[in-house]
Amino acid sequence: MTGKLANPGPLGLAGFAFTTWMLSMINAGWFDARSLGMVIALAMAYGGTAQLVAGVLEYPRGNTFGTVAFFSYGAFWWSFALFAHYFGSAVPAAFVGWYLFMWGIFTFYMWIATFRINRALQLVFLFLWLTFVVLAVGTWTHSALTQAGGYLGLITALLAFYASAADVVNPAFGRDILPLHPYSPESSQKTARRSAS
């Protein structure tokens, strides 16, 4: 035992990516609502529970962003599963739109924080923010924007899979096979100096 803590980030990102991909295939129109049962099961087991576990494991590492992100999106998937299985038919579409929009607001300020983490997470949270907003507007207007939100969700899932894979593959090889482009204070200072001159 080295005493080194494992990185729970790839687990949380994979749970998020997998579940987002499956739901987004339905939103994009590739499959109909009869496929939702598989998404609900996945939302409880992987998208929900695995992300909650990842969020708890980020806490002793002192990672506020990881704790808040994984615990929140794990709770999102649990709330989605409960809603879809038990309460969906009784909730007005306009209220569902607000649910999605508020997740968009949360995702927006989480996206701002990613500018000090790495480029890969910036893209994940940018596309997730757009996904929530477009799905919210699509729900409010009963328009094809829901399908567009599905495609944005598919892009989000692919980006999250990439970030998860990078956090597993790069340490295994001891070098950047899949670059994440981490934030560097030095490069920011150089950019600021160039802008000022």
Side-chain angles (χ1 to χ4, degrees), residues 95-155:
F95 205 63
V96 175
W98 276 106
Y99 169 81
L100 294 166
F101 187 73
M102 296 310 293
W103 277 107
I105 290 176
F106 170 75
T107 302
F108 178 78
Y109 73 75
M110 295 297 285
W111 172 56
I112 299 300
T114 64
F115 281 80
R116 291 297 177 107
I117 302 174
N118 63 54
R119 188 68 48 81
L121 280 181
Q122 284 178 36
L123 291 172
V124 171
F125 278 80
L126 171 62
F127 277 90
L128 181 57
W129 167 57
L130 293 172
T131 299
F132 277 127
V133 171
V134 170
L135 287 174
V137 176
T139 302
W140 283 329
T141 60
H142 306 284
S143 69
L145 281 175
T146 299
Q147 190 172 9
Y151 281 100
L152 286 168
L154 292 170
I155 295 169

Coordinates of all heavy atoms in Angstrom, one line a residue, residues 95-155:
F95 N -43.3 22.6 -16.5 CA -42.6 22.5 -15.2 C -41.3 21.6 -15.5 O -40.3 21.9 -14.9 CB -43.5 21.8 -14.2 CG -43.0 22.2 -12.7 CD1 -43.1 23.5 -12.3 CD2 -42.6 21.2 -11.9 CE1 -42.7 23.8 -11.0 CE2 -42.2 21.5 -10.6 CZ -42.2 22.8 -10.1
V96 N -41.4 20.6 -16.3 CA -40.3 19.8 -16.7 C -39.2 20.8 -17.4 O -38.0 20.6 -17.2 CB -40.7 18.7 -17.6 CG1 -39.4 17.9 -18.1 CG2 -41.6 17.7 -16.9
G97 N -39.7 21.7 -18.2 CA -38.8 22.6 -18.8 C -38.0 23.4 -17.8 O -36.8 23.7 -18.0
W98 N -38.7 23.9 -16.7 CA -38.0 24.6 -15.7 C -37.0 23.7 -15.0 O -35.9 24.2 -14.6 CB -39.0 25.2 -14.7 CG -39.5 26.5 -15.1 CD1 -40.8 26.7 -15.6 CD2 -38.8 27.7 -15.2 NE1 -40.9 28.0 -16.0 CE2 -39.7 28.7 -15.7 CE3 -37.6 28.1 -14.9 CZ2 -39.4 30.0 -15.9 CZ3 -37.2 29.4 -15.0 CH2 -38.1 30.4 -15.6
Y99 N -37.3 22.5 -14.8 CA -36.3 21.5 -14.2 C -35.1 21.5 -15.0 O -33.9 21.6 -14.5 CB -37.0 20.1 -14.1 CG -36.1 19.0 -13.8 CD1 -35.7 18.7 -12.5 CD2 -35.7 18.1 -14.8 CE1 -34.9 17.6 -12.2 CE2 -34.9 17.0 -14.5 CZ -34.5 16.8 -13.2 OH -33.7 15.7 -12.9
L100 N -35.2 21.3 -16.4 CA -34.1 21.3 -17.3 C -33.3 22.6 -17.3 O -32.1 22.6 -17.3 CB -34.5 20.9 -18.7 CG -35.1 19.5 -18.8 CD1 -35.9 19.4 -20.1 CD2 -34.0 18.4 -18.7
F101 N -34.1 23.7 -17.3 CA -33.4 25.0 -17.3 C -32.6 25.3 -16.1 O -31.5 25.8 -16.2 CB -34.5 26.1 -17.5 CG -33.9 27.5 -17.8 CD1 -33.3 27.8 -19.0 CD2 -33.9 28.4 -16.8 CE1 -32.8 29.0 -19.2 CE2 -33.4 29.7 -17.0 CZ -32.8 30.0 -18.2
M102 N -33.1 24.9 -14.9 CA -32.4 25.1 -13.7 C -31.1 24.3 -13.6 O -30.0 24.7 -13.1 CB -33.2 24.8 -12.5 CG -34.4 25.8 -12.3 SD -34.0 27.5 -12.4 CE -33.1 27.8 -10.9
W103 N -31.1 23.1 -14.2 CA -29.9 22.3 -14.3 C -28.9 23.0 -15.3 O -27.7 22.9 -15.1 CB -30.2 20.9 -14.8 CG -30.6 20.0 -13.7 CD1 -31.8 19.5 -13.4 CD2 -29.7 19.5 -12.7 NE1 -31.8 18.7 -12.3 CE2 -30.5 18.7 -11.8 CE3 -28.4 19.6 -12.4 CZ2 -30.0 18.0 -10.7 CZ3 -27.8 18.9 -11.3 CH2 -28.6 18.2 -10.5
G104 N -29.5 23.7 -16.3 CA -28.7 24.5 -17.2 C -27.9 25.6 -16.5 O -26.8 25.9 -16.7
I105 N -28.6 26.3 -15.5 CA -28.0 27.4 -14.8 C -26.9 26.8 -13.9 O -25.8 27.3 -13.8 CB -29.0 28.1 -13.9 CG1 -30.0 28.9 -14.8 CG2 -28.4 29.0 -12.8 CD1 -31.1 29.6 -14.0
F106 N -27.1 25.7 -13.2 CA -26.1 25.0 -12.4 C -24.9 24.7 -13.3 O -23.7 24.9 -12.9 CB -26.7 23.8 -11.7 CG -25.6 22.9 -11.1 CD1 -25.1 23.3 -9.9 CD2 -25.2 21.7 -11.7 CE1 -24.1 22.5 -9.3 CE2 -24.3 20.9 -11.1 CZ -23.7 21.3 -9.8
T107 N -25.2 24.1 -14.4 CA -24.1 23.7 -15.3 C -23.3 24.8 -15.8 O -22.1 24.7 -16.1 CB -24.7 22.8 -16.5 OG1 -25.4 21.7 -15.9 CG2 -23.6 22.3 -17.4
F108 N -24.0 26.0 -16.0 CA -23.3 27.2 -16.5 C -22.2 27.6 -15.6 O -21.1 27.9 -16.0 CB -24.3 28.3 -16.8 CG -23.6 29.6 -17.3 CD1 -23.2 29.7 -18.6 CD2 -23.4 30.6 -16.4 CE1 -22.6 30.9 -19.0 CE2 -22.7 31.8 -16.8 CZ -22.3 31.9 -18.1
Y109 N -22.5 27.7 -14.3 CA -21.5 28.2 -13.4 C -20.4 27.1 -13.1 O -19.3 27.4 -12.8 CB -22.0 28.8 -12.1 CG -22.6 28.0 -11.0 CD1 -21.9 27.2 -10.2 CD2 -24.0 28.0 -10.8 CE1 -22.4 26.4 -9.2 CE2 -24.6 27.3 -9.8 CZ -23.8 26.5 -9.0 OH -24.4 25.7 -8.0
M110 N -20.8 25.8 -13.2 CA -19.8 24.8 -13.2 C -18.8 24.9 -14.4 O -17.6 24.6 -14.3 CB -20.4 23.4 -13.1 CG -21.2 23.1 -11.8 SD -20.3 23.2 -10.3 CE -19.4 21.6 -10.4
W111 N -19.4 25.2 -15.5 CA -18.6 25.4 -16.7 C -17.6 26.5 -16.5 O -16.4 26.4 -16.9 CB -19.5 25.7 -17.9 CG -18.8 26.1 -19.2 CD1 -17.8 25.4 -19.8 CD2 -19.0 27.3 -19.9 NE1 -17.4 26.1 -21.0 CE2 -18.1 27.3 -21.0 CE3 -19.8 28.5 -19.8 CZ2 -18.0 28.3 -22.0 CZ3 -19.7 29.5 -20.7 CH2 -18.8 29.4 -21.8
I112 N -18.0 27.6 -15.9 CA -17.0 28.7 -15.6 C -15.8 28.2 -14.8 O -14.7 28.5 -15.1 CB -17.7 29.9 -14.9 CG1 -18.9 30.4 -15.7 CG2 -16.7 30.9 -14.4 CD1 -18.5 31.0 -17.0
A113 N -16.1 27.3 -13.8 CA -15.0 26.8 -13.0 C -14.0 25.9 -13.8 O -12.8 25.9 -13.5 CB -15.6 26.0 -11.9
T114 N -14.5 25.3 -14.9 CA -13.6 24.4 -15.7 C -12.5 25.2 -16.4 O -11.5 24.5 -16.8 CB -14.4 23.6 -16.7 OG1 -15.0 24.5 -17.7 CG2 -15.5 22.7 -16.0
F115 N -12.7 26.5 -16.5 CA -11.6 27.3 -17.2 C -10.3 27.2 -16.4 O -9.2 27.5 -16.9 CB -12.0 28.7 -17.4 CG -13.0 28.9 -18.6 CD1 -14.3 28.5 -18.5 CD2 -12.5 29.3 -19.8 CE1 -15.2 28.7 -19.5 CE2 -13.3 29.4 -20.9 CZ -14.7 29.1 -20.8
R116 N -10.4 26.8 -15.1 CA -9.1 26.7 -14.3 C -8.8 25.2 -14.1 O -8.0 24.9 -13.2 CB -9.3 27.4 -13.0 CG -9.4 28.9 -13.1 CD -8.0 29.4 -13.7 NE -8.1 30.9 -13.9 CZ -7.4 31.7 -13.1 NH1 -6.7 31.3 -12.1 NH2 -7.5 33.0 -13.3
I117 N -9.4 24.3 -14.9 CA -9.1 22.8 -14.7 C -8.4 22.3 -16.0 O -7.2 22.1 -16.0 CB -10.4 22.0 -14.4 CG1 -11.0 22.6 -13.1 CG2 -10.0 20.5 -14.3 CD1 -12.3 22.0 -12.7
N118 N -9.2 22.0 -17.1 CA -8.6 21.6 -18.3 C -9.6 21.8 -19.5 O -10.8 22.0 -19.3 CB -8.1 20.2 -18.3 CG -9.2 19.2 -18.1 OD1 -10.2 19.1 -18.8 ND2 -9.0 18.3 -17.1
R119 N -9.1 21.8 -20.7 CA -9.8 22.1 -21.9 C -10.9 21.0 -22.1 O -12.0 21.3 -22.6 CB -8.9 22.2 -23.1 CG -9.5 22.6 -24.4 CD -10.0 24.1 -24.4 NE -9.0 25.0 -23.9 CZ -8.0 25.5 -24.6 NH1 -7.8 25.1 -25.8 NH2 -7.1 26.3 -24.0
A120 N -10.6 19.8 -21.8 CA -11.5 18.7 -22.0 C -12.8 18.9 -21.2 O -13.9 18.8 -21.7 CB -10.9 17.3 -21.7
L121 N -12.6 19.2 -19.9 CA -13.8 19.5 -19.1 C -14.6 20.7 -19.5 O -15.8 20.8 -19.4 CB -13.4 19.6 -17.6 CG -13.2 18.2 -16.9 CD1 -12.9 18.5 -15.4 CD2 -14.4 17.3 -17.0
Q122 N -13.8 21.7 -20.0 CA -14.5 22.9 -20.5 C -15.5 22.5 -21.6 O -16.6 23.0 -21.6 CB -13.5 23.9 -21.2 CG -12.7 24.7 -20.2 CD -11.7 25.6 -20.9 OE1 -11.9 26.1 -22.0 NE2 -10.5 25.7 -20.3
L123 N -15.1 21.7 -22.5 CA -16.0 21.2 -23.6 C -17.1 20.4 -23.1 O -18.3 20.6 -23.6 CB -15.1 20.5 -24.7 CG -14.2 21.4 -25.5 CD1 -13.3 20.5 -26.3 CD2 -14.9 22.4 -26.3
V124 N -16.9 19.5 -22.2 CA -17.9 18.7 -21.6 C -19.0 19.6 -21.0 O -20.2 19.4 -21.3 CB -17.4 17.7 -20.5 CG1 -18.6 17.0 -19.8 CG2 -16.5 16.7 -21.1
F125 N -18.6 20.5 -20.2 CA -19.6 21.4 -19.5 C -20.2 22.4 -20.4 O -21.4 22.8 -20.2 CB -19.0 22.0 -18.3 CG -19.0 21.1 -17.1 CD1 -18.0 20.1 -17.0 CD2 -19.9 21.1 -16.1 CE1 -18.0 19.2 -15.9 CE2 -19.9 20.3 -15.0 CZ -19.0 19.3 -14.9
L126 N -19.5 22.8 -21.4 CA -20.1 23.7 -22.4 C -21.3 23.0 -23.1 O -22.4 23.6 -23.2 CB -19.1 24.2 -23.4 CG -19.6 25.0 -24.6 CD1 -20.3 26.3 -24.2 CD2 -18.5 25.3 -25.6
F127 N -21.0 21.8 -23.6 CA -22.0 21.1 -24.4 C -23.2 20.6 -23.5 O -24.3 20.6 -23.9 CB -21.4 20.0 -25.2 CG -20.9 20.5 -26.5 CD1 -19.5 20.9 -26.6 CD2 -21.7 20.5 -27.6 CE1 -19.0 21.3 -27.8 CE2 -21.2 21.0 -28.9 CZ -19.9 21.4 -28.9
L128 N -22.8 20.3 -22.2 CA -23.9 19.9 -21.3 C -24.8 21.1 -21.0 O -26.0 21.0 -20.9 CB -23.3 19.4 -20.0 CG -24.3 18.9 -19.0 CD1 -25.2 17.8 -19.5 CD2 -23.6 18.4 -17.7
W129 N -24.2 22.3 -20.8 CA -25.0 23.5 -20.6 C -25.9 23.7 -21.7 O -27.1 24.0 -21.6 CB -24.1 24.7 -20.3 CG -24.7 26.0 -20.3 CD1 -25.8 26.4 -19.6 CD2 -24.4 27.1 -21.2 NE1 -26.1 27.7 -19.9 CE2 -25.3 28.1 -20.9 CE3 -23.4 27.3 -22.2 CZ2 -25.2 29.4 -21.5 CZ3 -23.4 28.5 -22.8 CH2 -24.3 29.6 -22.5
L130 N -25.4 23.7 -22.9 CA -26.2 23.9 -24.1 C -27.3 22.8 -24.3 O -28.4 23.1 -24.6 CB -25.3 23.9 -25.4 CG -24.3 25.0 -25.6 CD1 -23.4 24.8 -26.7 CD2 -25.1 26.3 -25.7
T131 N -27.0 21.6 -23.9 CA -28.0 20.5 -23.9 C -29.1 20.8 -23.0 O -30.3 20.7 -23.5 CB -27.3 19.2 -23.5 OG1 -26.3 18.8 -24.4 CG2 -28.3 18.0 -23.5
F132 N -28.9 21.2 -21.8 CA -30.0 21.5 -20.9 C -30.8 22.6 -21.4 O -32.1 22.6 -21.3 CB -29.4 21.8 -19.5 CG -29.1 20.6 -18.7 CD1 -27.9 20.4 -18.1 CD2 -30.1 19.6 -18.4 CE1 -27.6 19.3 -17.3 CE2 -29.8 18.5 -17.6 CZ -28.6 18.3 -17.1
V133 N -30.2 23.7 -21.8 CA -31.0 24.9 -22.3 C -31.8 24.5 -23.5 O -33.0 24.9 -23.6 CB -30.0 26.1 -22.5 CG1 -30.8 27.2 -23.2 CG2 -29.4 26.5 -21.2
V134 N -31.2 23.8 -24.5 CA -32.0 23.5 -25.7 C -33.1 22.5 -25.3 O -34.2 22.7 -25.9 CB -31.0 22.9 -26.7 CG1 -31.8 22.3 -27.9 CG2 -30.1 24.0 -27.2
L135 N -32.9 21.6 -24.5 CA -34.0 20.6 -24.1 C -35.1 21.4 -23.3 O -36.3 21.1 -23.5 CB -33.4 19.5 -23.2 CG -32.6 18.4 -23.9 CD1 -32.0 17.5 -22.9 CD2 -33.4 17.7 -24.9
A136 N -34.7 22.4 -22.5 CA -35.7 23.1 -21.8 C -36.6 23.9 -22.7 O -37.8 23.9 -22.7 CB -35.0 24.1 -20.8
V137 N -35.9 24.6 -23.7 CA -36.7 25.4 -24.7 C -37.6 24.5 -25.5 O -38.7 24.8 -25.8 CB -35.8 26.3 -25.5 CG1 -36.6 27.0 -26.6 CG2 -35.0 27.3 -24.6
G138 N -37.0 23.3 -25.9 CA -37.8 22.3 -26.7 C -39.0 21.8 -25.9 O -40.1 21.6 -26.5
T139 N -38.8 21.6 -24.6 CA -40.0 21.2 -23.8 C -41.0 22.3 -23.7 O -42.2 22.0 -23.7 CB -39.4 20.8 -22.4 OG1 -38.5 19.7 -22.5 CG2 -40.6 20.3 -21.5
W140 N -40.6 23.5 -23.5 CA -41.5 24.6 -23.4 C -42.3 24.8 -24.7 O -43.5 25.2 -24.7 CB -40.8 25.9 -23.0 CG -40.4 26.0 -21.6 CD1 -41.1 25.4 -20.5 CD2 -39.3 26.7 -21.0 NE1 -40.4 25.7 -19.4 CE2 -39.3 26.5 -19.6 CE3 -38.2 27.4 -21.6 CZ2 -38.3 27.0 -18.8 CZ3 -37.3 27.9 -20.8 CH2 -37.3 27.7 -19.4
T141 N -41.6 24.7 -25.8 CA -42.2 25.0 -27.1 C -42.8 23.8 -27.9 O -43.4 24.0 -28.9 CB -41.2 25.7 -28.0 OG1 -40.1 24.9 -28.2 CG2 -40.7 27.0 -27.4
H142 N -42.6 22.6 -27.3 CA -43.0 21.4 -28.0 C -42.5 21.3 -29.4 O -43.2 21.0 -30.3 CB -44.5 21.3 -28.0 CG -45.1 21.4 -26.6 ND1 -45.1 20.3 -25.7 CD2 -45.8 22.4 -26.0 CE1 -45.7 20.7 -24.6 NE2 -46.1 22.0 -24.7
S143 N -41.2 21.6 -29.6 CA -40.6 21.8 -30.9 C -39.5 20.7 -31.1 O -39.2 19.9 -30.2 CB -40.0 23.2 -31.1 OG -38.9 23.3 -30.3
A144 N -39.0 20.7 -32.3 CA -37.9 19.8 -32.7 C -36.6 20.1 -32.0 O -35.6 19.4 -32.2 CB -37.7 19.9 -34.2
L145 N -36.6 21.2 -31.2 CA -35.4 21.5 -30.4 C -35.0 20.4 -29.4 O -33.9 20.2 -29.1 CB -35.6 22.8 -29.6 CG -35.4 24.1 -30.4 CD1 -35.8 25.3 -29.6 CD2 -34.0 24.2 -31.0
T146 N -36.0 19.6 -29.0 CA -35.7 18.4 -28.2 C -34.8 17.5 -28.9 O -33.9 16.9 -28.3 CB -37.0 17.7 -27.7 OG1 -37.8 18.6 -27.0 CG2 -36.8 16.5 -26.9
Q147 N -35.1 17.3 -30.2 CA -34.2 16.4 -31.0 C -32.8 17.0 -31.1 O -31.8 16.3 -31.0 CB -34.8 16.2 -32.4 CG -34.1 15.1 -33.1 CD -34.8 14.7 -34.4 OE1 -35.8 15.4 -34.8 NE2 -34.4 13.7 -35.1
A148 N -32.7 18.3 -31.3 CA -31.4 19.0 -31.3 C -30.7 18.8 -30.0 O -29.5 18.6 -30.0 CB -31.6 20.5 -31.7
G149 N -31.4 18.9 -28.9 CA -30.9 18.7 -27.6 C -30.3 17.3 -27.4 O -29.3 17.1 -26.8
G150 N -31.0 16.3 -28.0 CA -30.5 15.0 -28.0 C -29.2 14.8 -28.7 O -28.3 14.1 -28.2
Y151 N -29.0 15.5 -29.8 CA -27.7 15.4 -30.5 C -26.6 16.2 -29.7 O -25.5 15.7 -29.7 CB -27.8 16.0 -31.9 CG -28.5 15.0 -32.9 CD1 -29.8 15.1 -33.3 CD2 -27.7 14.0 -33.4 CE1 -30.4 14.2 -34.1 CE2 -28.2 13.1 -34.3 CZ -29.6 13.2 -34.7 OH -30.2 12.2 -35.5
L152 N -27.0 17.3 -29.1 CA -26.0 17.9 -28.2 C -25.6 17.0 -27.1 O -24.5 17.0 -26.7 CB -26.6 19.2 -27.7 CG -26.7 20.4 -28.7 CD1 -27.5 21.5 -28.1 CD2 -25.3 20.9 -29.0
G153 N -26.6 16.3 -26.5 CA -26.3 15.3 -25.5 C -25.4 14.2 -25.9 O -24.5 13.8 -25.2
L154 N -25.5 13.8 -27.2 CA -24.6 12.7 -27.7 C -23.2 13.3 -27.8 O -22.2 12.6 -27.5 CB -25.1 12.3 -29.1 CG -26.4 11.5 -29.1 CD1 -26.9 11.3 -30.6 CD2 -26.2 10.1 -28.4
I155 N -23.0 14.5 -28.2 CA -21.7 15.1 -28.3 C -21.1 15.3 -26.9 O -20.0 14.9 -26.6 CB -21.8 16.5 -29.0 CG1 -22.2 16.4 -30.4 CG2 -20.4 17.3 -28.8 CD1 -22.5 17.7 -31.1

